[in-house]
Amino acid sequence: MRAAPTILHLDMDAFYASAEQAAKPSLRGKPVVVGGLGMRGVVATASYEARRLGVHSAMPMAQARRLAPNAAYLVPRFALYRTVSDQVMELLGRLSPLVEPLSLDEAFVDLEAGGVADDSASARLVGEQLRTVIRAVTGLSGSVGLAGSKMLAKIASEEAKPDGLLLIEPGTERELLAPMSVRILPGVGPATGDHLRRAGMTVVSHLTEAGEAELVRLLGKAHGVALHRMAQGYDDRPVVAERDAKSVSVEDTFEVDLHDRVRVRAEVERLAARCVQRLRGAGRSGRTVVLKVRRYDFSTLTRSETLRGPTDDPTVVREAAARLLEAVDTTGGVRLLGVGVTGLADFTQEDLFAQAAHAEQAAHAEQAAHAEQAAHAEHAAEDPEGADAVPDEREGPAGEATGAESRKSEETPASRRWPAGHDVRHDVHGHGWVQGSGVGRVTVRFEEPWTPPGRVRTFRVDDPALRPADPLPLVRDGEDYSSWPASLPKSLSGPGPGEGDESRP
């Protein structure tokens, strides 16, 4: 624990939704919900206008639509969010060599390690300047918490939301935490919170009054001891610049339960390939393959297989995932599948068996290709008009395509090519964004982040003048902060106390 509040936690306010509002003038001040728009989509972020209507993150999208039927519902644009996140993280990196990102929109910063703050006054000044510069560079607001520990800095930024700053003076931790819900402490999720509630502990002061021995009895030694320390405000975790990933995984939720076992296996193989792509992109390999299956009744099963050594071989991961699937009953239907790799390493152990499998697979593929070409040629000779027809055996029950053909059919509808909220450019009308599409039409609003709300026009989905576009920057021709923090005048350091910023006690 530090004697000065030199650990800063930044949390961007309603990040995805705020970025969409900044990019789309017509949505500013209106409820915006970002997430999956399908039958089983969930809310990723809701603007504060939507939150006032009861919408929140992780809520089923169907429920959000009932609560806020007039909100704008948009598909995430991660390319834009990553660009803005890179801008924010670059600014944080100027303050200290110790920056610990937690996600695209939040991070811890050790101000003491950067030599920019050593007491409450200097820490507050840096926090105020940071908020001002972030708004000038990105057009978005962020909330800042300052404290002597990571736990309290994060609590402070949450209490400061939206668009505020809260500094917790060291020595006031217990007084601040006492009336707060136990759920505010790290490691206390819904299950632990419910367990504590049944024991009569709902606020943090109840935990300190119960004592360490009682918490150990309820939660076990490790969790009980740690929770008792946190309830008293103790947290000596350092800010770590490099957070080592523990696993790499991908998963998909399906709008309609999958019942066809062949289709389920094909999806597992596709997810395994995506997982290996991410693994290789991170320059890592892994030793344990994990399969996740959520069934029709929401029961979730995980199965794992540990290999003889770390690998990033797509065939090895795919075959391991397929073996794990064989041990799972999917008769009632599958709503979610996931494939992951844990036990990560920075090297790959060559697998002779995998190499042999590759050679055998290549030989079989070549033989199959020759056989298919011969059969196709014979069929064309017998029926020239039907030579390009798709063989009937590629279709499942009721003519439903399976495997790769099914995925191809899912990607072709106009709604897939024109996601709501994504950027487009028209040869005549310029830059805009998709408001919606269907029945062969796409509706576009033409506006840019720095223009007034624009006009709406509708086109055919195959209009050759309309095409997807890259996101525009949220700020154009902003002030030059390349030498910040040294050169930022104090007059630009943001609102003073009583104007959105607070200090606790």
Side-chain angles (χ1 to χ4, degrees):
M1 298 292 293
R2 302 188 178 187
T6 53
I7 293 181
L8 179 148
H9 181 259
L10 171 73
D11 195 354
M12 300 297 289
D13 298 322
F15 182 48
Y16 297 172
S18 295
E20 297 296 347
Q21 289 177 316
K24 302 173 173 64
S26 59
L27 297 184
R28 293 171 191 169
K30 299 179 181 178
V32 173
V33 181
V34 180
L37 303 188
M39 293 170 54
R40 291 175 175 170
V42 297
V43 175
T45 307
S47 69
Y48 286 97
E49 295 85 356
R51 294 182 188 190
R52 285 194 285 270
L53 300 174
V55 181
H56 58 76
S57 299
M59 171 182 286
M61 192 62 74
Q63 182 180 356
R65 289 184 183 276
R66 289 193 294 270
L67 293 171
N70 297 320
Y73 290 87
L74 308 176
V75 176
R77 295 188 296 158
F78 288 107
L80 170 65
Y81 310 149
R82 289 192 185 97
T83 298
V84 177
S85 176
D86 289 344
Q87 292 177 311
V88 173
M89 296 304 166
E90 193 273 333
L91 293 173
L92 298 182
R94 300 186 197 178
L95 296 176
S96 173
L98 295 182
V99 177
E100 182 178 342
L102 302 180
S103 62
L104 288 177
D105 62 335
E106 64 173 318
F108 289 110
V109 184
D110 188 332
L111 301 180
E112 186 177 301
V116 295
D118 56 8
D119 59 14
S120 296
S122 56
R124 176 184 292 279
L125 178 60
V126 170
E128 291 170 345
Q129 290 182 350
L130 176 64
R131 291 176 53 222
T132 299
V133 176
I134 286 176
R135 184 181 288 278
V137 171
T138 70
L140 306 180
S141 67
S143 296
V144 168
L146 293 158
S149 70
K150 289 167 69 172
M151 177 185 74
L152 288 164
K154 185 172 175 62
I155 290 173
S157 68
E158 187 65 30
E159 292 291 301
K161 281 185 170 292
D163 193 18
L165 181 149
L166 174 60
L167 184 148
I168 299 176
E169 292 285 358
T172 66
E173 296 90 351
R174 290 189 64 171
E175 180 184 355
L176 171 72
L177 290 172
M180 292 184 173
S181 166
V182 295
R183 288 290 305 277
I184 203 167
L185 299 178
V188 181
T192 302
D194 191 54
H195 192 50
L196 292 171
R197 180 187 59 78
R198 289 196 299 268
M201 304 177 195
T202 56
V203 296
V204 176
S205 61
H206 295 162
L207 303 181
T208 57
E209 293 167 2
E212 181 180 299
E214 178 63 11
L215 293 179
V216 167
R217 186 187 70 81
L218 286 172
L219 305 174
K221 184 172 178 59
H223 199 181
V225 171
L227 195 58
H228 187 255
R229 285 178 56 81
M230 288 188 292
Q232 299 178 86
Y234 294 124
D235 177 23
D236 57 1
R237 294 173 298 161
V239 177
V240 181
E242 295 293 334
R243 291 169 56 87
D244 192 27
K246 296 180 180 179
S247 65
V248 173
S249 63
V250 295
E251 62 181 44
D252 275 348
T253 300
F254 306 101
E255 293 191 7
V256 179
D257 289 346
L258 304 184
H259 294 273
D260 185 346
R261 186 76 176 185
V262 175
R263 171 74 186 282
V264 172
R265 180 179 175 115
E267 292 294 341
V268 167
E269 292 178 351
R270 180 178 61 85
L271 290 168
R274 284 174 51 197
C275 182
V276 170
Q277 284 182 342
R278 289 193 181 183
L279 194 67
R280 289 181 168 181
R284 309 298 295 276
S285 60
R287 182 166 185 158
T288 301
V289 178
V290 180
L291 175 71
K292 177 180 177 182
V293 180
R294 180 166 296 150
R295 299 188 292 190
Y296 69 99
D297 58 357
F298 288 89
S299 61
T300 303
L301 305 176
T302 56
R303 299 289 184 266
S304 64
E305 177 180 320
T306 299
L307 308 172
R308 290 176 298 173
T311 184
D312 64 354
D313 189 304
T315 301
V316 174
V317 175
R318 182 178 67 246
E319 291 178 351
R323 286 193 297 271
L324 294 170
L325 178 63
E326 293 302 319
V328 177
D329 179 13
T330 61
T331 305
V334 172
R335 60 183 290 121
L336 177 146
L337 288 169
V339 175
V341 176
T342 65
L344 301 187
D346 293 323
F347 65 94
T348 301
Q349 179 172 308
E350 295 296 338
D351 190 326
L352 297 179
F353 289 98
Q355 292 178 6
H358 268 308
E360 183 180 357
Q361 186 180 33
H364 283 310
E366 186 175 0
Q367 292 174 4
H370 286 310
E372 184 176 354
Q373 288 174 0
H376 190 72
E378 181 180 356
H379 179 68
E382 295 175 356
D383 183 10
E385 295 181 357
D388 294 330
V390 178
D392 290 342
E393 59 266 23
R394 282 193 172 184
E395 296 190 346
E400 181 181 355
T402 60
E405 291 298 316
S406 175
R407 290 194 299 276
K408 182 178 179 182
S409 67
E410 290 175 357
E411 294 168 0
T412 53
S415 59
R416 300 294 185 189
R417 294 187 290 112
W418 302 111
H422 280 224
D423 299 86
V424 295
R425 177 164 289 279
H426 192 273
D427 291 343
V428 176
H429 304 290
H431 191 92
W433 58 277
V434 176
Q435 281 199 328
S437 63
V439 294
R441 295 288 186 269
V442 55
T443 301
V444 178
R445 184 182 288 274
F446 291 97
E447 59 186 3
E448 298 178 353
W450 40 81
T451 66
R455 297 185 63 182
V456 176
R457 297 181 182 274
T458 299
F459 308 90
R460 288 186 0 224
V461 294
D462 57 355
D463 190 323
L466 187 69
R467 57 190 179 277
D470 293 328
L472 296 175
L474 301 182
V475 175
R476 183 176 66 173
D477 301 329
E479 295 184 56
D480 182 13
Y481 289 102
S482 58
S483 59
W484 182 80
S487 65
L488 184 63
K490 291 185 178 180
S491 61
L492 296 178
S493 62
E499 299 177 325
D501 297 353
E502 299 180 65
S503 181
R504 297 271 179 89

